[in-house]
Amino acid sequence: MPQAIRLLIKELRLPFAILIIPGIVLALLLPYFPVDETRYLGVAWEMWNNHSFIVPLQNGLPYSHKPPLLFWLVNLDWLLLGVNEGTLRFIPLIFSLLNLTLVYRIALKLWDDRQVARYAAVILASMLSYLLWSSVIMFDVILAFWVLLAALAVISAAREHRFACYLQLGLAIGGGILTKGPVVLVYVLPAALLGFLWVPRERFSRKWYAWLGLSLLIGIGVVLFWLVPAALTGGETYRRAILWGQTVDRMANSFAHKRPLWWYLPWIPTLLMPWTLFPPAWRAWKRLSGDSGFRMVLIWGAGSLVIFSLLSGKQVHYLIPVLPTFSLLMAKSAAQEEGDVSRFRLPIAGLYLFLGAGMITASLIKHGTLLKHFDLTEIRIAAAGLIVVGGVLFMLRPRTMQALINQVAVSSLACCTLVIVGGDTMFQRYDLHPIAAAVRQKQAEGYQVLHAGKYHGQFHFMGRLSQPLVELPSRDQIRAYAATHDKIALITYEKDTVPVNPKDYYFLQPFRSKQAVMWTRDGIATFLGEAPDKKEPSETTETE
């Protein structure tokens, strides 16, 4: 193994371990969560099952909401290892590990300081939000990889105008578009377009923008390798959706301000936990304002936040690709701290002690609606673990910043593991395997399986289905369909307090805070006739 790779692994073994351990636990113990994970796995499954590797499918129809890269990766996993569920969480995990490597490389490029680079990788890996998101089948961690690759290219281009830098930037833009659409530009363009604010004056010229334009063209060229055959084979509706829906329509709707401008601000301290309570991460920011690298990362992160705040479609996970900028800034700031550092552990130790004590108190006094579906023993075990973590962190007195950062990072790993322990019973209520198997069985018996409200494809991969479900948005449509078809079964989601007669359903299982019911024909009549004042049937909403 080359010396450089051995050194890199040695430098990053702690952040790698922090991500890999919960990734294995998640892969072994937890179900895939509806509606996002099961939806995307359903799309990948329908591509695989129908050999439709250009046009993604959902419930038998072209799926235009997302580009194909994640679905290709899932299909590649199945091609290499066979159709399975156990290895899929390692796809985002691999990209998450690559992200740590890129953050390390970016820090070295900006500041030529291995200590800052190590801090940045450890801080990013141990942010609880990033840690938990690294094994989830969604787009954001993969998108972060392309954003970091683009940022590294921009930083390299600022030092030396080589075509390879702009080629790397173009490939990263193309990869980002294939992952989640043109939104990748929101993360990439602020630092690139505002280069005159951070690139040293002697290295900056008007040619900078011409080269950026070339990179953008390269990125578009990469996307065309998929877009052209997809537009030609997907049909008119799909063609219009991917050519306009992913660009013009979304941008136009994005300025409708469905959520207020400040909506992201309260989320940022939560996303950065536990480092929000780490004073050295914030103390030296004023002293660093003149640093060129610091300005670059600040523009990169703040620019993305401003644009996302202007857009209406706000979701917390849109900020996952922005988290590396905070880790870089925090690392640079923490490296400036001198003297006794042991006192800085106290706020985070206090957080864990407070959370543990609060959970035990809640489980003993009143668990009511909040803890209704949790196992109180698991909650108390997790709470006791948090108290132990807080107590150990409180007693340790690290002498160096490196030791302190490592201890805080390891405490995040322990906290993440305890979250999985404490919520295990609740998490199992998200497992759709049983009802998906029931759907498969009824379809094999010749039944049409109806779904009340929007169907997100959540049963397709879990049940390895090859037939679509019939999606019926309203009770009137269910009633009309039932009047003209004999062999039917209907899936709805009822409050767990609603009694359901066993004669009225083929299958019933707890699901989230409700119960998923597959009604018989007589049960459908009961469903339609006994609750005329119920609201129209609906299920979870699209979150992407």
Side-chain angles (χ1 to χ4, degrees), residues 401-460:
M401 182 59 73
Q402 177 75 64
L404 175 62
I405 287 178
N406 289 350
Q407 288 173 11
V408 172
V410 172
S411 74
S412 286
L413 171 60
C415 179
C416 179
T417 305
L418 291 168
V419 167
I420 296 172
V421 170
D424 183 61
T425 297
M426 177 61 183
F427 295 151
Q428 297 311 318
R429 296 178 67 92
Y430 287 75
D431 185 1
L432 290 176
H433 282 96
I435 193 168
V439 172
R440 181 185 175 90
Q441 180 182 337
K442 298 314 292 182
Q443 288 185 334
E445 293 171 0
Y447 281 76
Q448 290 285 337
V449 178
L450 320 180
H451 190 276
K454 176 68 176 175
Y455 174 59
H456 296 279
Q458 57 264 38
F459 304 131
H460 260 75

Side-chain angles (χ1 to χ4, degrees), residues 507-528:
F507 189 85
L508 180 149
Q509 73 164 80
F511 175 64
R512 296 168 43 160
S513 60
K514 297 184 177 180
Q515 51 187 340
V517 185
M518 182 189 286
W519 300 90
T520 64
R521 169 168 281 284
D522 289 343
I524 294 173
T526 302
F527 168 76
L528 293 172

Side-chain angles (χ1 to χ4, degrees), residues 182-187 247-264 303-315 318-319:
V183 71
V184 66
L185 298 175
V186 175
Y187 303 97
T247 53
V248 178
D249 288 350
R250 287 200 171 193
M251 290 302 293
N253 292 330
S254 290
F255 288 96
H257 296 287
K258 294 176 183 175
R259 282 175 167 156
L261 286 172
W262 48 264
W263 190 81
Y264 281 121
S304 303
L305 276 174
V306 168
I307 296 174
F308 274 115
S309 296
L310 292 173
L311 303 178
S312 64
K314 296 181 178 65
Q315 295 284 0
Y318 291 177
L319 298 187

Side-chain angles (χ1 to χ4, degrees), residues 372 429 492-500 508 511 513-517 534-535:
K372 180 179 179 182
R429 296 178 67 92
T492 70
Y493 305 87
E494 306 299 318
K495 291 181 179 178
D496 58 0
T497 54
V498 174
V500 182
L508 180 149
F511 175 64
S513 60
K514 297 184 177 180
Q515 51 187 340
V517 185
K534 285 184 177 179
K535 65 179 182 180

